[in-house]
Amino acid sequence: MLEKTMRINSLFDFYQSLLTPKQRNYMALYYLDDYSLGEIAEEFQVSRQAVYDNIKRTEQMIEEYEAKLLLFERYIKRQELLEQLRDTVKREHENSNALSLINSLEKLD
């Protein structure tokens, strides 16, 4: 369950701008602010089932976006490659300017 929550949070970070304001609100409250379905339903004066359905549809949408655009997958691969590069540079060139360049690259994400 925790792994799914972390994945959805990450996908939400990448794809939230593609969602409607209502979808963004529900997802942010549920996943980021840890509101219950009942609390969200009360906040927006809708049924708990309506909130649940909206969140599930939105989860499915962002998973479909990821399947097509692969932004999160590419981000993970880029982070892994940067870590490997950092390790290689540390081993071979201890006083190299390359480490500061790698750090600068990481800050871009």
Side-chain angles (χ1 to χ4, degrees):
M1 182 67 177
L2 181 59
E3 189 173 311
K4 178 192 175 197
T5 299
M6 290 174 54
R7 177 173 172 77
I8 294 296
N9 279 333
S10 296
L11 293 178
F12 180 63
D13 284 344
F14 280 96
Y15 299 110
Q16 66 180 307
S17 63
L18 300 175
L19 303 176
T20 67
K22 183 164 101 173
Q23 289 170 322
R24 280 194 301 270
N25 286 333
Y26 284 10
M27 294 294 284
L29 289 173
Y30 188 72
Y31 280 104
L32 302 178
D33 298 334
D34 204 28
Y35 275 46
S36 69
L37 295 175
E39 290 170 323
I40 299 169
E42 188 175 311
E43 177 83 18
F44 290 93
Q45 298 179 346
V46 296
S47 70
R48 185 182 173 284
Q49 186 65 43
V51 173
Y52 175 83
D53 291 343
N54 186 294
I55 288 172
K56 291 302 167 192
R57 274 194 312 275
T58 304
E59 287 173 0
Q60 184 178 3
M61 283 177 62
I62 61 177
E63 287 287 359
E64 289 172 9
Y65 293 152
E66 176 60 13
K68 292 176 184 172
L69 301 173
L70 303 172
L71 296 179
F72 181 57
E73 181 180 323
R74 289 180 185 155
Y75 169 80
I76 295 297
K77 286 181 181 177
R78 204 167 36 254
Q79 293 304 309
E80 291 169 354
L81 290 170
L82 281 169
E83 189 60 35
Q84 290 172 14
L85 181 59
R86 174 184 280 108
D87 291 344
T88 301
V89 168
K90 280 182 182 178
R91 279 193 312 272
E92 296 178 9
H93 304 58
E94 285 188 32
N95 296 323
S96 173
N97 188 34
L99 284 175
S100 64
L101 292 172
I102 293 168
N103 289 334
S104 297
L105 274 174
E106 283 184 313
K107 290 177 184 175
L108 291 177
D109 283 333

